[in-house]
Amino acid sequence: MGDPREPPEGVPEGGSGNEDEYRSVVFDESFVRAARIQELSARERLSGAFGRATRPRVRLGPLGTVPRQALALLLVVLLAFGAAVYFGVSSPKGLPARPEGSQLTVSLVALSPASAVRPVADPASPFAALPTGYGDGTLGLNTPAAAATEHFSRVEVSKALDTVQRYLVASSLAPAALVQGATADVRAFVTPGEQAQFDSSTAQPVDDRHHALTGWVVRFDPARVALASGVVKVVGAMRVDEADSGTLQVTTDHTFVYALKPAGAPAAAPVTLESVRRQLTFEFDRVDLAQAQLRLVDSVLQAGPQSCASSMAGFLQPVLADPQGGAGAPAVPPSPVDPGDHGHPAWQVCGVLAGS
């Protein structure tokens, strides 16, 4: 029987037979003709009689064929990216950080009397000697009409001015704050980021440019001072600006004149006029406007007649006229300043009160 590896018609002439080392890879013409080629019929191709040996693939249009594992990984990545974008935009953590800490800077200036303090001529009409221009209470605040700025609407500016006016009433005109020691109504206007500073100033006031309570509110020691009149005279103005595109700024500059007498004194007791100038800078972002709160960032206060020797951080310390109706309390001239004495803050300032 012939070698099964030989062609059907035998080994061609000149061949090397079974000893040819290349006969397993070289096919002659008779071998090729004898090869059986089978082609599937149309019915067989449609019926899928001969299954494909490859794994199923998912086709994504122009991207070509992608395995299922790769498609699943792609979907996971897309979901993770979408979640990151969503929470980065919608979460409160994506908002700019609100200002916190000791934002308010306070400068206190005592105005010492140039001579003995004398009482007003008529206690029943204590403000008769004031120049024209002073108004009663809120009338003297001169709150301007609201107008839109570049980045804030007229309604937003109106909210800021209204909040500032109500703050000035609570901190400069209300008897509860002036002579009763109340601070809650003033604190209600302060943003959460400044409330810790306000509370520290209330608990332990100190003239360190950040924790003087009189930078927030005009107040007199109720153990020493009482109001001789329920009216407070005011003159001044407000200005609206923008600190930046997201911050509205309101600057106020007012002088308040109070009629004071010693605590517990009768109605006919001598009356002293105390003048307090407050120059304040407020800032608002849109959250502050929506909550009707404000950030007081700068406060300059001048008060007189005031003793330069007394601290103004917790209470203003007015020099009152002599209760006996005499020549009045002695003048307290400004104390000499020793620049080598580091026991006193360098920013402590004392001036001389002009006029009577």
Side-chain angles (χ1 to χ4, degrees):
M1 187 175 181
D3 190 336
R5 292 175 297 177
E6 294 180 359
E9 297 180 0
V11 179
E13 294 182 3
S16 59
N18 291 340
E19 297 178 2
D20 188 353
E21 59 179 331
Y22 298 106
R23 70 183 300 164
S24 63
V25 295
V26 177
F27 308 120
D28 63 3
E29 182 179 355
S30 62
F31 187 92
V32 173
R33 285 198 307 268
R36 181 169 179 257
I37 301 175
Q38 180 180 0
E39 182 178 358
L40 298 179
S41 67
R43 180 180 300 276
E44 288 174 330
R45 290 196 297 269
L46 291 176
S47 63
F50 294 85
R52 300 178 64 183
T54 58
R55 299 179 61 184
R57 306 277 179 162
V58 178
R59 185 171 296 276
L60 295 178
L63 295 178
T65 302
V66 180
R68 287 183 177 178
Q69 294 89 338
L71 178 62
L73 179 61
L74 178 62
L75 291 176
V76 170
V77 172
L78 290 176
L79 288 174
F81 178 76
V85 171
Y86 173 79
F87 288 109
V89 172
S90 62
S91 172
K93 293 182 180 180
L95 296 175
R98 304 294 307 287
E100 293 186 0
S102 297
Q103 301 173 59
L104 173 61
T105 300
V106 180
S107 298
L108 304 178
V109 181
L111 300 178
S112 176
S115 60
V117 178
R118 298 184 179 275
V120 298
D122 183 3
S125 183
F127 305 108
L130 287 180
T132 59
Y134 282 83
D136 292 351
T138 56
L139 295 178
L141 294 177
N142 291 323
T143 305
T149 63
E150 182 178 358
H151 298 98
F152 290 85
S153 68
R154 185 186 65 81
V155 173
E156 290 173 325
V157 173
S158 178
K159 288 182 179 180
L161 290 172
D162 178 69
T163 302
V164 168
Q165 176 173 300
R166 292 188 294 115
Y167 175 85
L168 291 175
V169 170
S171 64
S172 306
L173 301 178
L178 294 175
V179 293
Q180 297 173 18
T183 59
D185 290 345
V186 176
R187 187 183 187 275
F189 288 95
V190 179
T191 60
E194 281 191 317
Q195 286 178 358
Q197 183 183 8
F198 182 91
D199 293 341
S200 178
S201 302
T202 303
Q204 191 173 1
V206 58
D207 187 8
D208 63 352
R209 302 206 73 185
H210 295 290
H211 297 93
L213 185 55
T214 47
W216 299 92
V217 54
V218 177
R219 65 200 309 252
F220 304 101
D221 187 351
R224 294 185 58 249
V225 178
L227 294 176
S229 172
V231 176
V232 178
K233 291 291 187 177
V234 187
V235 66
M238 304 184 192
R239 187 181 72 250
V240 178
D241 301 291
E242 288 186 5
D244 54 55
S245 60
T247 306
L248 191 65
Q249 181 174 283
V250 179
T251 303
T252 66
D253 191 355
H254 294 92
T255 299
F256 303 86
V257 180
Y258 305 93
L260 306 177
K261 64 180 181 179
V271 175
T272 305
L273 295 184
E274 172 85 352
S275 297
V276 178
R277 180 181 179 183
R278 303 186 77 191
Q279 190 175 65
L280 309 175
T281 302
F282 304 91
E283 290 185 353
F284 299 84
D285 59 22
R286 287 180 169 81
V287 176
D288 299 330
L289 293 173
Q291 297 177 349
Q293 291 181 316
L294 48 78
R295 282 180 284 137
L296 180 57
V297 296
D298 191 67
S299 175
V300 179
L301 182 143
Q302 296 177 340
Q306 188 81 22
S307 172
C308 292
S310 301
S311 172
M312 299 169 58
F315 297 101
L316 300 184
Q317 304 288 349
V319 178
L320 300 179
D322 189 340
Q324 304 302 321
V332 183
S335 303
V337 176
D338 179 5
D341 181 5
H342 293 181
H344 294 82
W347 56 80
Q348 285 189 339
V349 178
C350 184
V352 176
L353 179 63
S356 58

